[in-house]
Amino acid sequence: MAVNKNIFFREATLRICGRLDLKKAMENTLAYIKKVIPADALHIGLFDPATSMSRTIVRICPDHWPKVPRSFPIPEAAVPRVAEEWRPDFSFGILNDAKEEEACIQELIRIFWPENVSVLRTRLIMESRMIGMLLLAAEGCNRYDESHAELMGMLNEPFSIALTNALQYEEIVRLKEMLEEDNRYLHKELRHISGDRIIGADFGLKEVMQMVRQVAPLESPVLLLGETGTGKELLANALHAASPRNGGPFVKVNCGGLPEGLIDSELFGHEKGAFTGALALKRGRFERADGGTLFLDEVAELPLSAQVRLLRVLQNREIERVGGTETIAVNVRIISATHRNLEQMVKEGSFREDLWFRLNVFPIMIPPLRQRSQDIPALLEYLVARKCKEMKITRKVHIPAGTMEFLRQHSWPGNIRELQNLVERGLIQSQTRGFHSGLLVLDMPRIPSLTKAEKHLNTSDAPFLSFDDAAGRHIRKALEKTHGKIMGEDGAAALLGLHPSTLRGKMRKLGILKKEI
């Protein structure tokens, strides 16, 4: 049958390059080629001379033909022959009868093909470099001749382009998966660095963590309230990690740190050329958080104009990039946080009431450190260990006697962040002084100013008490008030803001017996 080579080349090329999915493209190509050339199967593979491994890229064959592994070693005896043929100057080869081949090649043929098969081999070359091998196979012997090899030789370039594109796409997918894996690892490490374990979850933050566990599995917006430095971002991370969205991204937006002119671009993205300096398309934080959680930190700092646009996105769950006309659906869960009184801001007109209602579905108030002084020992121990690791301090650090009581009496206006800074500063000073004693040198914070009554007592003629005597009197007074009860909500430990075991230890140290009370 006479074949119009131009038509054959055009029709085959359209099918080879007509689909991004290489397997689908090759199925279409084989269906066309078999009308012109004997072909029951098509196989594209790679050979690595360094490892003598063969790799299957795509294989289309009848179901009853041998199943070829995706990657397998070439039989040792056949490696020299395969390596010799894996050269750009070896353009094609015809095998019409496997019985005429060497035993080692017959062994290799049995891996790929059934008995009594003819094979036409075409090398796929790009820029004088061997990139793969294409094999056509037809049942029966002596099915191919030079005319078939010539026709397949015409298709070397389109097949090579298709294979190159497929390999590049495969590499992009691999790198994307690596990036996602790295992202998950770094996100896990970030949570670990920022405190994978929430200190005080069973004590000062017990009620907060109960609320976190209640709302985490839901889609409801959460508003985290509390003073600066109380750990709002850490709790936002905990909410995301405990939610069904934990496999998606966790994207933070510091609303107070966004210049007013760039808020829309940061939140919603922009198209190329949308404004001066927009040299490329940029995806905003909402798009990047799609399928995950968007954390709007310091949300009260958004100007009213940005609040209007944010409200529209929260209502419609769709955005428009700056300079764009296309509406983009987004699926994000909103967690917001602020240290300011939003209700008061609504009354003053500086925060939109409708936006407040949207964000304030499930508010969680995080207590300041001064209200959870029972957590200070555990926090101090954790922060010292973490900072020693960061600063590569291997020597054991001891907390000086009396430090804990002093820390408990401080008002901590900067909360945990202030305590963290105090620990870091103390470790630096300890290093500077040689660390001979192994004690942590803390530049102790000031105790809040005394009341007028306290100042009057201090100026009286009463003798000045030692620290232990004053602490002993304070503990006895608490025990008297609770009738000797130590544990429980109405016990002396709760009244003093101490853990019961800590209080008992102090009583033993000071020689206080319950029978005295």
Side-chain angles (χ1 to χ4, degrees), residues 475-489:
I475 290 173
R476 288 186 175 91
K477 188 175 180 180
L479 288 167
E480 286 175 358
K481 189 170 183 178
T482 61
H483 306 288
K485 183 177 180 181
I486 293 177
M487 298 180 65
E489 294 182 1

Side-chain angles (χ1 to χ4, degrees), residues 280-482:
L281 181 147
K282 177 182 176 180
R283 295 166 65 238
R285 305 294 177 91
F286 270 92
E287 278 188 84
R288 286 162 54 191
D290 190 46
T293 302
L294 183 66
F295 177 44
L296 300 174
D297 197 13
E298 300 300 345
V299 69
E301 308 305 319
L302 285 175
L304 284 170
S305 57
Q307 292 177 30
V308 175
R309 294 187 287 275
L310 176 60
L311 177 65
R312 191 177 302 122
V313 173
L314 298 183
Q315 288 173 337
N316 301 331
R317 289 184 170 272
E318 55 188 27
I319 63 167
E320 283 186 15
R321 297 193 191 109
V322 176
T325 56
E326 179 186 359
T327 300
I328 303 169
V330 288
N331 173 24
V332 298
R333 183 187 189 178
I334 299 295
I335 298 176
S336 49
T338 182
H339 69 282
R340 300 180 65 179
N341 187 334
L342 286 183
E343 192 171 1
Q344 183 62 34
M345 292 180 67
V346 169
K347 292 177 181 177
E348 295 170 355
S350 56
F351 198 85
R352 291 184 63 93
E353 185 177 34
D354 43 7
L355 179 57
W356 179 57
F357 286 139
R358 281 275 174 186
L359 299 176
N360 196 41
V361 174
F362 195 89
I364 298 178
M365 176 63 73
I366 306 171
L369 187 55
R370 62 181 172 275
Q371 292 179 13
R372 42 182 291 226
S373 58
Q374 67 268 42
D375 295 334
I376 288 179
L379 278 167
L380 184 63
E381 180 183 357
Y382 171 77
L383 290 172
V384 168
R386 197 184 84 182
K387 287 297 176 184
C388 282
K389 185 177 180 180
E390 289 178 8
M391 298 169 68
K392 297 180 174 56
I393 297 173
T394 56
R395 188 168 182 176
K396 187 171 178 59
V397 179
H398 303 281
I399 310 299
T403 299
M404 214 62 74
E405 285 302 320
F406 208 87
L407 295 178
R408 282 197 182 95
Q409 295 177 50
H410 183 53
S411 61
W412 297 109
N415 293 291
I416 298 170
R417 191 174 295 132
E418 183 183 356
L419 178 59
Q420 178 177 294
N421 292 343
L422 178 71
V423 168
E424 185 167 358
R425 186 163 59 247
L427 288 171
I428 293 171
Q429 291 174 342
S430 300
Q431 290 282 81
T432 305
R433 297 178 190 181
F435 227 169
H436 298 302
S437 63
L439 293 177
L440 177 64
V441 179
L442 290 180
D443 183 10
M444 302 299 287
R446 286 176 147 187
I447 301 299
S449 300
L450 298 172
T451 63
K452 289 183 179 179
E454 290 169 330
K455 288 179 180 177
H456 176 70
L457 286 173
N458 279 348
T459 56
S460 67
D461 295 330
F464 194 85
L465 298 175
S466 69
F467 184 89
D468 284 347
D469 288 340
R473 286 192 179 187
H474 198 51
I475 290 173
R476 288 186 175 91
K477 188 175 180 180
L479 288 167
E480 286 175 358
K481 189 170 183 178
T482 61

Side-chain angles (χ1 to χ4, degrees), residues 9-61:
F9 177 80
R10 182 172 63 84
E11 293 297 326
T13 300
L14 286 174
R15 289 162 175 80
I16 293 168
C17 301
R19 299 286 292 269
L20 182 61
D21 185 329
L22 186 63
K23 185 173 182 180
K24 291 289 185 184
M26 292 304 104
E27 286 175 349
N28 294 340
T29 303
L30 180 61
Y32 172 73
I33 286 177
K34 66 171 45 177
K35 298 176 182 178
V36 181
I37 299 173
D40 296 309
L42 180 149
H43 181 102
I44 296 178
L46 305 178
F47 171 69
D48 184 357
T51 60
S52 301
M53 294 290 290
S54 174
R55 179 183 164 205
T56 301
I57 302 299
V58 62
R59 180 177 175 84
I60 303 156
C61 65

